[in-house]
Amino acid sequence: MATVNKNLSDYDINSIPDASKMVFGIVVSEWNENITSGLLNGAYNTLVKHGATEANIIVKNIPGSFELPLAAQSLLEKTNVDAVICLGSVIQGETKHFDFVCEATALGIKDVGLKYNKPVIFGVLTDNTMQQGLDRSGGKHGNKGDEAAITAIKMVAFQQGL
Ligand SMILES: Nc1c(NC[C@H](O)[C@H](O)[C@H](O)CO)[nH]c(=O)[nH]c1=O
Ligand SMILES: CC(=O)[C@@H](O)COP(=O)(O)O
């Protein structure tokens, strides 16, 4: 379903597991910081809303979305996080660079999650315009950061329940 038909911040608040004993990493791209800062606010505040403590949320700023998979892998190697939320904003420019950055970032995030058997969440916006990114990072279509945080909580609870 397209984002225009489903607000990214809409969810059943009563269906979300308690996150008070979960440990999260958040890696945030510095590209398009006006958008990624909104994603971070959404993700951080949603984790806290569902019980996560500030001591259990590790936030690291990363140069670009292409570096997010390595940043997530580094947190999984060096810390005790239960999940990593990857936040970025990739906006189409004049060339095919957008395609390469988006594909590498998406596949890299997927691969790290499978390699470490931990939830590594794809909270990366891949937009045609800056306005589309603004609309999806706390604007009229909600916040992809909220969605990423909810996904992280649900996946940690899923694994801990096995
Ligand atoms: N154009 C965008 C980039 N480009 C930078 C790459 O992510 C990477 O940092 C660089 O190629 C060096 O490895 N990154 C974004 O996150 N968003 C963009 O719109
Ligand atoms: C996603 C990108 O790397 C892109 O913003 C770079 O812009 P351009 O394709 O005009 O070089």
Side-chain angles (χ1 to χ4, degrees):
M1 178 187 296
T3 300
V4 293
N5 299 319
K6 180 190 179 304
N7 190 287
L8 292 164
S9 301
D10 285 351
Y11 62 92
D12 176 5
I13 194 168
N14 297 312
S15 71
I16 310 306
D18 172 39
S20 60
K21 293 182 169 52
M22 299 178 183
V23 183
F24 300 95
I26 303 178
V27 287
V28 194
S29 167
E30 294 169 339
W31 263 76
N32 303 313
E33 192 272 340
N34 58 326
I35 292 172
T36 61
S37 60
L39 296 174
L40 176 58
N41 289 337
Y44 191 94
N45 293 338
T46 299
L47 293 176
V48 171
K49 177 179 177 180
H50 291 285
T53 63
E54 293 188 24
N56 283 347
I57 304 174
I58 302 169
V59 179
K60 296 294 181 183
N61 293 309
I62 305 302
S65 293
F66 187 86
E67 284 74 38
L68 290 172
L70 179 57
Q73 180 170 289
S74 300
L75 281 183
L76 291 165
E77 281 277 348
K78 303 285 187 178
T79 75
N80 67 328
V81 294
D82 297 309
V84 181
I85 298 168
C86 299
L87 301 176
S89 166
V90 190
I91 298 177
Q92 178 64 64
E94 295 178 340
T95 72
K96 292 179 66 178
H97 197 240
F98 171 88
D99 300 331
F100 292 98
V101 171
C102 290
E103 182 174 10
T105 300
L107 293 178
I109 288 170
K110 179 261 296 178
D111 290 344
V112 170
L114 293 173
K115 178 178 177 183
Y116 286 80
N117 192 33
K118 289 280 180 71
V120 181
I121 309 305
F122 184 63
V124 180
L125 294 172
T126 56
D127 299 308
N128 297 310
T129 65
M130 178 74 74
Q131 188 58 51
Q132 286 180 348
L134 293 170
D135 291 344
R136 290 159 174 77
S137 55
K140 67 180 180 181
H141 294 314
N143 195 323
K144 174 72 80 174
D146 297 0
E147 178 195 66
I150 293 300
T151 303
I153 293 170
K154 286 181 174 181
M155 286 305 295
V156 172
F158 164 77
Q159 290 195 322
Q160 291 179 348
L162 295 177

